[in-house]
Amino acid sequence: MTVYYDRAGVQVTSHELVVQGKRYQLNQLQRLRIARGSASPAGTICAILAVLFVLPGSCSLQTSAWTIGLGLTAIGVLALGAAALIIRRLRPRPFEMWADYQGHTVQLFWTRDERIFNGIRFAMVRASQSDPLTR
């Protein structure tokens, strides 16, 4: 048995994938696929910020105090953009690995760390190519 990956609670060998103690035989994994998970609720937060800053600012543009409205709109756009960038940086969409296993679709693994995910993904490719039972 050859070990291709053994870090972060995940082990990929020539015959199985072990994730947090749960074992999956490679020759029983069908339709192995990768995906990106859903984004964090950053969209809701940014929408709330947009309503709080941009909408009142744009309503003020119709009055004589248009400079206040323009200022509020600019603050809203900057706050909205900064919030979106910060949230996206802190909570990136997760990387997921899925497969059909014993007749059920299961999520084998997920992480927000692209480097770890790619290490596991490449280990799975090497393991499936080395075992004639998985071809």
Side-chain angles (χ1 to χ4, degrees):
M1 177 176 70
T2 305
V3 176
Y4 293 99
Y5 188 91
D6 191 6
R7 287 183 216 114
V10 178
Q11 185 181 52
V12 179
T13 69
S14 54
H15 300 291
E16 67 184 358
L17 166 68
V18 182
V19 180
Q20 305 294 327
K22 186 158 181 154
R23 297 179 180 279
Y24 301 96
Q25 297 298 317
L26 292 183
N27 61 358
Q28 294 181 3
L29 293 176
Q30 305 276 324
R31 294 184 46 217
L32 186 65
R33 54 207 178 271
I34 59 174
R36 292 297 301 265
S38 60
S40 68
T44 305
I45 293 169
C46 291
I48 291 170
L49 284 175
V51 170
L52 290 177
F53 290 105
V54 177
L55 189 60
S58 63
C59 289
S60 297
L61 287 175
Q62 297 171 359
T63 67
S64 60
W66 64 272
T67 55
I68 295 171
L70 186 60
L72 286 175
T73 303
I75 290 170
V77 169
L78 290 175
L80 181 61
L85 288 175
I86 290 169
I87 292 170
R88 189 173 226 187
R89 186 65 82 164
L90 293 176
R91 302 286 297 173
R93 290 172 52 196
F95 296 89
E96 302 173 344
M97 186 176 294
W98 293 81
D100 293 340
Y101 184 71
Q102 297 178 344
H104 301 284
T105 300
V106 295
Q107 183 181 47
L108 301 172
F109 177 76
W110 77 272
T111 183
R112 294 189 190 279
D113 190 327
E114 185 175 10
R115 191 174 53 90
I116 290 173
F117 185 81
N118 283 333
I120 295 167
R121 182 170 60 100
F122 292 130
M124 291 289 290
V125 169
R126 287 192 305 273
S128 66
Q129 290 173 346
S130 71
D131 188 1
L133 295 176
T134 60
R135 290 183 202 165

